[in-house]
Amino acid sequence: MGRIQQWLNHCLARIRRSTTPGAQAEDMACRYLRKHGLQLIAKNYSTKAGEIDLIMLDDQQYVFVEVKHRTRTNWADAAEAVTYHKQQKVIKAAQQYLQQKKLYDQVDCRFDVVAIDGELAAAEIAWLKHAFY
């Protein structure tokens, strides 16, 4: 595959990603947290260990945020869908982020969940600080 085709595929993937319900939920969560005073550092930080939806700064504290959206809550609501296994993946990805940025012993951090239940147009947002560790 040529460079132009790779670039085109990359651009199309970004366009598709920005229109998915998951990406829309992450954008909604980011706006919500920024409205509450947090500063965005990174979105969709990905490693082999896992992905972090949002990395935010709350004063001097790094906040690793898992965003979960559920339109139907028949089986579990959005917050309940953040399983122990998912938590471990986020923790490992956060450890890699802190090591990569040489911040491991220098910053305070926490793990939050932003749970969005219902259709995005009229969703209920729950921000769970210190959701896991």
Side-chain angles (χ1 to χ4, degrees):
M1 185 175 347
R3 286 186 181 185
I4 294 175
Q5 186 64 42
Q6 287 177 332
W7 176 80
L8 257 175
N9 289 343
H10 173 74
C11 290
L12 289 173
R14 288 187 70 191
I15 290 169
R16 276 187 234 113
R17 167 103 175 97
S18 66
T19 59
T20 65
Q24 291 173 357
E26 289 171 6
D27 289 343
M28 180 184 283
C30 185
R31 284 191 305 272
Y32 180 86
L33 294 173
R34 290 178 77 186
K35 185 175 159 182
H36 284 83
L38 278 70
Q39 177 185 351
L40 178 66
I41 295 174
K43 266 184 159 182
N44 301 312
Y45 175 79
S46 186
T47 70
K48 289 181 182 179
E51 182 187 57
I52 302 169
D53 294 326
L54 301 170
I55 302 174
M56 310 286 288
L57 195 60
D58 188 5
D59 291 324
Q60 299 296 320
Q61 189 174 50
Y62 278 71
V63 182
F64 300 97
V65 182
E66 174 64 16
V67 178
K68 198 54 92 171
H69 171 239
R70 289 285 183 264
T71 50
R72 293 188 208 113
T73 57
N74 300 358
W75 294 73
D77 65 20
E80 293 171 319
V82 183
T83 63
Y84 175 78
H85 180 70
K86 179 60 178 174
Q87 292 171 19
Q88 295 305 303
K89 288 180 135 195
V90 172
I91 290 168
K92 287 178 183 173
Q95 289 170 336
Q96 288 184 2
Y97 175 84
L98 293 171
Q99 287 175 341
Q100 177 189 2
K101 301 293 182 181
K102 297 182 176 33
L103 297 170
Y104 202 76
D105 293 332
Q106 300 174 19
V107 298
D108 187 26
C109 66
R110 72 174 194 251
F111 297 93
D112 291 1
V113 170
V114 173
I116 303 173
D117 287 308
E119 295 295 333
L120 288 175
E124 291 184 32
I125 298 176
W127 177 17
L128 308 170
K129 293 182 180 180
H130 301 280
F132 56 91
Y133 47 92

